[in-house]
Amino acid sequence: MKPENLNIIIADDHPLFRNALRQALSSEFTNTQWFEADSAEALQSLLENDDVEYDAVLLDLQMPGSHGYSTLIHLRTHFQDLPVVVISAHEDNLTISRAIHYGSSGFIPKSSSMETLAEALEAVLFGDVWLPQGVELQEINEDETDQMAAKLADLTPQQYKVLQMFAEGLLNKQIAYDLGVSEATIKAHATAIFRKLGVRNRTQAVIALQQLEMEKVDI
């Protein structure tokens, strides 16, 4: 028997894929409320809504504002009880292994059938970790990517949001306006971000964040 009365987020920047995924899974997971996010910022806004308790996030690694594994790392750090399932066009062993290493509860290639998607989501909702058939996880040795992931996990949600806005090229004044705080607050966040990431300025911080990116793949 499949779980019912769920709140599930589909986080992907392709509206056709979100719609197809929602329609396919709705027939398998009845009485489920689906929420959609087309960017890391939109996903964060949903998660900040205390009126809804979410049961899972289906996460694309390449949404706008999401630098590779950065959103996954952020979610696993600050929403530890929320299962995250990566759905990605990247299907290589290293990508899958890193996703699980950074806390994903499952990895679903975008080439999977809708039946496989439903099977994977059901397994994760029951507390299992789901992997594509035949995948053998490889050990992730500590490298620059892994070191940066650990540093990124140390950022608070607000610091992570500011870092994302740095990556978009926004000025302190623009960020302060968008977040409804003073420029002095943004400067304080910047100082903390630089210290935690071990960098000296915004440019270095953005370059550090980009270490978690992967080569673009079209779905």
Side-chain angles (χ1 to χ4, degrees):
M1 181 181 237
K2 287 183 171 58
E4 296 185 356
N5 300 315
L6 302 170
N7 294 313
I8 297 177
I9 299 174
I10 300 174
D12 190 288
D13 63 327
H14 291 82
L16 290 177
F17 182 79
R18 293 198 309 270
N19 185 57
L21 189 57
R22 185 183 68 252
Q23 289 187 351
L25 293 176
S26 292
S27 62
E28 298 289 336
F29 296 89
T30 58
N31 299 321
T32 293
Q33 188 166 1
W34 302 94
F35 299 81
E36 297 185 15
D38 60 2
S39 66
E41 181 180 1
L43 175 58
Q44 184 66 27
S45 295
L46 285 175
L47 294 171
E48 289 173 351
N49 182 4
D50 295 331
D51 295 332
V52 180
E53 183 175 344
Y54 298 104
D55 296 285
V57 176
L58 303 177
L59 177 68
D60 178 24
L61 294 175
Q62 293 185 320
M63 289 189 302
S66 182
H67 299 268
Y69 304 98
S70 65
T71 297
L72 171 62
I73 294 165
H74 175 71
L75 291 176
R76 301 314 306 132
T77 302
H78 298 287
F79 302 92
Q80 296 181 2
D81 296 329
L82 178 63
V84 179
V85 183
V86 169
I87 301 183
S88 178
H90 288 270
E91 303 180 13
D92 60 282
N93 190 274
L94 179 59
T95 298
I96 297 173
S97 297
R98 280 201 185 278
I100 300 302
H101 177 70
Y102 295 139
S104 178
S105 297
F107 191 102
I108 307 173
K110 283 191 173 181
S111 61
S112 301
S113 66
M114 289 303 169
E115 292 78 9
T116 299
L117 285 165
E119 172 193 324
L121 180 56
E122 181 178 4
V124 168
L125 289 170
F126 279 115
D128 295 330
V129 173
W130 192 92
L131 293 173
Q133 187 173 7
V135 168
E136 293 186 10
L137 295 178
Q138 65 186 73
E139 183 179 352
I140 301 299
N141 297 317
E142 185 172 305
D143 56 14
E144 288 187 1
T145 300
D146 210 36
Q147 291 170 3
M148 185 49 57
K151 293 176 181 178
L152 187 70
D154 198 32
L155 299 183
T156 67
Q158 194 75 339
Q159 289 166 358
Y160 177 67
K161 186 179 294 185
V162 170
L163 177 59
Q164 287 178 303
M165 298 173 93
F166 284 170
E168 294 173 14
L170 299 181
L171 302 174
N172 286 354
K173 180 185 296 186
Q174 294 171 299
I175 298 173
Y177 178 81
D178 288 347
L179 298 183
V181 299
S182 68
E183 282 190 65
T185 297
I186 300 304
K187 290 178 181 178
H189 282 317
T191 299
I193 291 168
F194 300 161
R195 175 177 52 81
K196 290 181 177 181
L197 297 185
V199 300
R200 295 182 179 180
N201 54 46
R202 286 173 55 135
T203 300
Q204 291 181 350
V206 172
I207 291 173
L209 180 62
Q210 290 170 344
Q211 291 180 24
L212 295 166
E213 293 183 351
M214 300 163 294
E215 182 181 349
K216 292 292 185 181
V217 173
D218 294 328
I219 65 170

